[in-house]
Amino acid sequence: MKLSDEILKSLVSFPCPQCRYEVEIQLLDVRVQSYRYCPCCRSRIRLVDADGSMFGELEAIDLAMNELTQALKGMS
């Protein structure tokens, strides 16, 4: 299992654009650009990773973890 997969399962909160109520989502929801409804005002919120930065950063995390694993294996 990659670290990025675990990160995508993480829960984060953000304020609803309409009523400012704190909405909790998984980061995976942003990656797949899904829609969520605010539990307070029922506004439909589209979750967008506009510049695709999440995908690139998750790849960088996996690469860094692979490098760390290889370095630790080399120490033993």
Side-chain angles (χ1 to χ4, degrees), residues 2-66:
K2 298 188 294 184
L3 180 58
S4 62
D5 294 336
E6 294 301 315
I7 292 171
L8 287 172
K9 294 177 187 176
S10 300
L11 296 174
V12 294
S13 296
F14 69 95
C16 169
Q18 296 295 318
C19 70
R20 311 309 294 168
Y21 184 83
E22 287 292 313
V23 179
E24 190 172 76
I25 60 161
Q26 281 187 317
L27 287 176
L28 178 61
D29 295 332
V30 177
R31 184 164 185 190
V32 297
Q33 299 191 22
S34 63
Y35 289 89
R36 290 291 174 256
Y37 286 93
C38 173
C40 183
C41 71
R42 303 300 297 159
S43 291
R44 186 176 185 211
I45 304 166
R46 181 167 184 220
L47 305 170
V48 177
D49 181 15
D51 59 2
S53 61
M54 179 181 283
F55 180 76
E57 295 303 319
L58 290 172
E59 291 294 318
I61 289 169
D62 287 335
L63 178 61
M65 286 303 296
N66 287 339

